[in-house]
Amino acid sequence: MIALRGRDFRRLWLAGLISDTGDWMLLVALPVLVYQLTGSALGTSMAFLIELIPAVVISPLAGRLADRCDRRLLLVAVSLGQAAGLLPLLAGARLPVLYGVIAYQAALAGLFDPAKNALLPALVAEDQLVAANSLIGLNQNLGRLVGAAAGGAVLAAGGLPVIVIADAATFLLSATLIRGVHLPRNAAPARGTPARRPGGRAFARRPVWVALVVTAILAVGQGLFTVLFVVFVARNLHGDAAENGLLRAVQAIGAIIGGLALARATRVRPGPLTGLACLVFAAGAAVTWNLPHLTTAEPVYVALFIGFGVPSVAMDSGLISSLQHATADGERGGVFAAFGAAFALGQAAGIVAAGILGDRLGAVPLLNVQALCYLVGGVAALAGLAGGGQEAPPGLVNGVESPPMRPAGPEGARERAELAVTARRCAAQRLGRDLAGSPEEVAGHLLAIQAQDPRGARLAIRARSAGLSAADVDAALTGRRSMIVTWLNRGTLYLVRSEDYWWLHPLTTPQLRTGNARRLAQEGAPLPGRARPGV
C-alpha cells in the first residue's frame, strides 16, 4: 500500500473512511423511514430516484467548480454543507423533510465526487492511481460494513437523532482532515484563470467516451439489481428480510478483499482491469440468478455474494483510473461530473425498467439482463480501453501535446514518427505543459535527479510540474523530509524520494565501493583500511 505512505493522500483516505461510515448509517435509515411513512414500494423507489436526479442536474456546475476552484477548499466547504444539511431531520422525520434531505445530500455528493477524483492524481504517483482508487473504494465498503450495521441497530432503538448527530460529526471531522492536505501550488487553479474546456477535446478521446458509455451500461444493470434483488430473495430464494440484509452486507467483504489486493498492486493497466472485472462479474451474476433451479441453500449465496465484491471494486477503480489517465488536470472536473451523470442516468433507467417490467416478466429474466449489461460493458472496455496506446489520450501524453501532423508520404511518415518519439520522450521525462504534481511525485517518476548543484536540482523538479516554486521543493526536503540528497552508484549527489532511498542504497552501494577501490588502485593509493595513520 505505497499510496498510503503519502501524508496528504492518507488524510484524504481517512476522511473518506470516516464520512462513508456515517453516510451508511443514514443510508440505511432513510429508505426505511420513507417506507414506514408511505407504506408502499413506489414511495420507497421515489427516494432512490430523488437521490439520482441531482447528480444529473448539477453535473455542469460540478465540473466547472472542480476545474476552476481550489479543490481542497471545495471539498471542505461541501463537507461542512453536508453536516448542516442533516439538521432538519432533528425536527422530525416527515416525508417532505426526508425527500428534501435526500435530494440535498445527493446534490452535494455530486459536487464532492468530481472534485475528489480530479484532485487524486495530484496526491499520488501516476502508477499508483489504480491502487489509490481501490483504497477509496475500500473506504466505501468498510463504511458500508460498519455503518450499515450500526445504522440499523440505532434506528431499531428509535435513535434517528443519534444517527443524524453521528453523521454530522463525521462530516466535520472529514472537513478538518481535508483542510490539512498540502498541495503543490499548481493543484489549485488560479482565480480568474479559465479552466481548460473538456467539451470539444476530452470527450472526443476514445478512452473518455468509451469509459462513460461503459459506466452508463453498467449503471443500467445496477438499477435493475437495486429494485429486483429484494424480489429475487423473497420469491426465488424464499428468504426473509434477515437473509436480504445478510446477502447485501457480505458483498462488502469481497470488496474489502479485492480493494486490499489492488492496493498492493503496482502498474496495473486500468483498461484491461475494467474489462476483465466486468466479464467475471457477468459470469457470476448469470450463475447466481439461475441457480435457484438447483439449490436455494443460504451458504451458497453468501459465498457468491462475497465473490461479487471483488470484481465490483476492480470495475470502479479501473473506470476512474482510466479517466484520470486519459485527461489533463484542467479537464478532470468536467469529465468526472459527466461520469457521475452517466451513472445516475443509467441507474435511473434500470430502476424505471425494473419497476415497469418486474411484475410482468419476473425478477430472473430482468436480472439476466443485468448480467448481459456487464458482459456488454466488459467487451466494450476491453475493446476501447485496453488497446495499444489507448490509455493516454490521442494528442496528449501525460499532458504533452503532440506536434502537428505532417503531410502524407514517406518523408512525412518519417517526420511524424520522429516527432511522435520526441513527444513520448518528453512525456517520459515529464517535460510537458499543464502537468500537475508534487515534488515527491516528480521525483518518484524520474527515480533520481542529479543534485550536485542544489539550484539545478530544484529547477529539474520545477520544470516538470507547472506552478512549483523552489520553496515547494525545499518544503519536501526540509519540512516534510519526503526527499533527500544522497550518493548512489557514482560519486555524484542525487535527489531521491526518502521511501526509495532504502532500496536504492543497498542496490547501488556495492558498485560504488568496487568503483572506488578500482580508482584507488589505478592511482597507486592504499586501499581503504590499509592506509597509514595520518595519510
Side-chain angles (χ1 to χ4, degrees), residues 196-224:
R196 179 181 297 193
R197 292 178 178 268
R201 291 166 59 182
F203 292 115
R205 297 181 196 132
R206 190 168 98 174
V208 173
W209 65 259
V210 168
L212 294 178
V213 169
V214 170
T215 298
I217 294 171
L218 301 185
V220 172
Q222 179 62 27
L224 292 169

Side-chain angles (χ1 to χ4, degrees), residues 301-321:
Y301 291 89
V302 168
L304 286 169
F305 273 83
I306 290 175
F308 276 137
V310 178
S312 67
V313 74
M315 282 185 286
D316 291 342
S317 301
L319 280 171
I320 293 173
S321 300

Side-chain angles (χ1 to χ4, degrees), residues 38-113:
T38 63
S40 71
L42 178 61
T44 306
S45 65
M46 280 295 296
F48 289 111
L49 288 173
I50 289 173
E51 188 177 1
L52 297 175
I53 293 172
V56 179
V57 175
I58 207 170
S59 61
L61 175 63
R64 189 172 181 82
L65 289 176
D67 283 333
R68 293 181 66 92
C69 299
D70 184 321
R71 291 168 186 148
R72 180 192 56 175
L73 296 182
L74 177 61
L75 294 177
V76 170
V78 170
S79 297
L80 295 176
Q82 287 173 309
L86 297 172
L87 298 181
L89 292 175
L90 295 177
R94 297 185 300 274
L95 191 60
V97 173
L98 292 177
Y99 282 155
V101 169
I102 290 172
Y104 176 80
Q105 293 293 339
L108 289 185
L111 294 175
F112 190 94
D113 289 340

Side-chain angles (χ1 to χ4, degrees), residues 5 27 78 146 165 205 274 354:
R5 295 179 186 174
L27 287 172
V78 170
V146 177
I165 293 171
R205 297 181 196 132
T274 303

Side-chain angles (χ1 to χ4, degrees), residues 422-438:
T422 300
R424 291 192 174 275
R425 283 177 175 169
C426 289
Q429 288 289 323
R430 286 186 64 103
L431 294 172
R433 299 183 308 195
D434 302 327
L435 290 177
S438 62

